[in-house]
Structure formats: structure tokens, C-alpha cells
Amino acid sequence: MTATAPALEFSTTFSSSPVPAERRAEILANPGFGTSFTDHMIMATWTPDAGWHDAGLRPYGPLSLDPATATLHYAQSIFEGLKAYRHEDGSIWTFRPDANGTRFQRSAARMALPELPVESFVESLDLLVRTDSEWVPSGGETSLYLRPFMFASEVFLGVRPAKHVTYSVIASPAGAYFASGVKPVSIWLSSEYTRAAPGGTGAAKCAGNYAASLVAQQEALVNGCDQVCFLDAQERKWVEELGGMNLYFVRADGSITTPSLTGTILEGITRDSILTLAADLQHKVEERAVSIDEWREGVASGEITEVFACGTAAVVTPLGRLAWNGGELRMGDEPGPVTQEIRTALLDIQYGRAQDRHGWMHRIM
Ligand SMILES: *Cc1c(COP(=O)(O)O)cnc(C)c1O
């Protein structure tokens, strides 16, 4: 359960029936998001006595689960999401994988799951991407999306932390997250539902947070919006984040503000990177509480000129409209200049077109 646990040794068993090259090329030509998977996966097991063991790469395939597998009942389950990028010279890189590994440990601690050494987390990604490197698409904003996850695999119906835990990584080629490209998205302000409460699991990347957000997302769709924005659970006053992305506000003077981390906001690595990048670009950067009234009044008065969301999957996405029960606010039909500047700066580092001044890129091959 400690960060100093010895790093894992990964065995390798290669697939004897990989997807034929022709079919793979078809998939890579139009990857969509989260629908096709590579030829291999990572698996490892944890038990209290043996710690992490049986770690290896093996052919991608279904898991066989006993109906009493604990995670199916009590959702002791966490995940991560990051991307492998192919650079112009053919090399393949991930972006701050150690930050994902550290967050994975924090999520594990919150959900009473064992911590995986960050070194083993990064190594497992490297091994999977190296093995399935032909699945890393090239060109445009394509990538290989990596999904590490961990769940209670003990067969037991009692409510307590599982004594058998499974770690796995799967990989899926990805095109742009929103089919509409960088067009501004519309956001539904949920007044009925909240995402996270003080003392709850909002800062952990756990499966249950997403389960709890789905009805709010459905409400957004019914109201003609793409995504939900959640307010804080206590006062229903402070802007927190979207269902899977953090928020930034751009002001008329070029400064940018993001809601401060209060334990109920997921600590996005994109959010964190933008704090640094925006400062590099000479923007004044602020982390502080932003109320929904400040958002509405700021857009109305012209004090807030752009609002954007950020996360690994969608990178940086402009918000065009905020709608709620009884009203709406328009923020522009085109991406704003600061949103575009930050989006380009981040993508240029990730795709190797700009110097990596902060040592964020990790070369796999
Ligand atoms: C994963 C996630 C984010 C974005 O985090 P990144 O590390 O930037 O991908 C934001 N909010 C929630 C709720 C998330 O689950």
C-alpha cells in the first residue's frame, strides 16, 4: 500500500490473432472515440499477502467475472485517461504520465484500493504502447487513448475493501473527441443535481462519479446541450466543473481564472498544465472561487470574454452557450483568441511542434 513498494515485473504473451493490418488501417482512418481496441492489454493482481503480482501484457479479450465480483455491487473502481501521440518523425510520446500515475494513487487511497507504484504505472503504459505501436494513428489531432483502471475483483458480497484487486490498461485509437471539431459547445447548468460534496469522492477519478453524473448529462441532451456544468453542493452558487472537464474564464484584460481546488473538483492535468502554459504566454493566472452570478454578469458586461473547458479527451474546448431552466447566456459562435492560443500551445507541445520547456513529454519509442 505504499509508494515505495517494489516496481512490478511484466511478463509478455503476444496475441496469436491480432487484427489484420487492413482492418486496422480502416479503423485508424476513422477511429471515432472509445469503440475500437488494440491487440493487447495489461493485467496485474493485488492481494494483501502477495502485494502486486502476476503483472503482464496479454492478448486483448473479455474478462470472465463471477456475478459476486465486488466492483459490480459497490463500485470500488478507479480509472485514468491519457494519450499517446505520434510525432512527425514517427516517435511516440505520452504527456506527463507520472502525473496520471500520482493521481491514480490518490484516487486509490480515497477508494481504499491499493496504490500502484508510479514507476510501474508508467512502465505498463510504455509496454502496451510499444507492443501496439502500429495502433498509434498519425496526422491531425489523432492519438492512442490509454485507459488504466483498477477495480475490486474479490468474489464477496460484504461491504469492505476488497482483498483481491485487478489493475488493467486498455488502449483505443482516437480521433477528435467532439465530432463537431473545435466549434463551441453548449452547456446545461444543472440545478437539480450535483457532482460532488465536501468529504465525498469528487477529487477521485472513480467510476461512481460518472454513474452519478449520467442523469444530469441526459437532462443536458434533452435541453439541447452537449455537456453539464455542476455547481457546488452546499450553496449551489460556486462553479465547479463539467462532467469530465475543468473550466477556465478569460477576462477582458487577458487574465484567466479557474475555480480553485476545494476537494470537490477533479484535479485535471490539463487544467494544471494550462496554469503554467498561460503564464508562459504572459497571461495573468488566477485560481479562485467563481460564482455562477459572476459568470452570468461577467459575460453580460463584457468583463468575461471567453470560457473554455479542458481535459485530456477534449483538450481545450470553447463554450458557446450556457443554458438553464428559464434562461441562457451566449458566449460566441467561434472559439475566442485566448482559447485558441492556449489550445494551440498545448497541442504543439503534445505533438512535438514546440519546445517542451517543462519536461512534460515522455518518449516511449
Ligand atoms: C478526468 C477528468 C477531468 C480532466 O482531467 P485531465 O487530467 O485533464 O484529463 C476533469 N474532470 C473530471 C470530473 C474528470 O474525471
Side-chain angles (χ1 to χ4, degrees), residues 19 24 27-28 31-42 57-61 80-84 92 94 124-137 143-149 168-174 364:
V19 173
R24 188 180 63 228
I27 293 169
L28 293 185
F33 188 87
T35 50
S36 308
F37 300 92
T38 67
D39 294 314
H40 296 90
M41 64 197 286
I42 299 286
L57 173 103
R58 67 178 214 196
Y60 184 91
E80 271 302 326
L82 66 165
K83 289 171 169 175
I92 299 173
T94 44
S124 70
L125 303 177
D126 290 1
L127 174 59
L128 180 59
V129 174
R130 239 185 283 118
T131 308
D132 286 338
S133 63
E134 288 176 89
W135 285 91
V136 183
S143 62
L144 183 65
Y145 184 77
L146 306 174
R147 168 52 58 86
F149 59 108
S168 179
V169 189
I170 55 176
S172 174
I364 296 179

Side-chain angles (χ1 to χ4, degrees), residues 103 195 205 210 241 243-246 266 268-270 311-312:
R103 185 172 67 189
R195 186 192 158 268
K205 219 167 165 74
Y210 277 74
E241 59 174 315
M245 279 183 281
N246 298 115
L266 198 287
I269 292 157
T270 317
T312 297

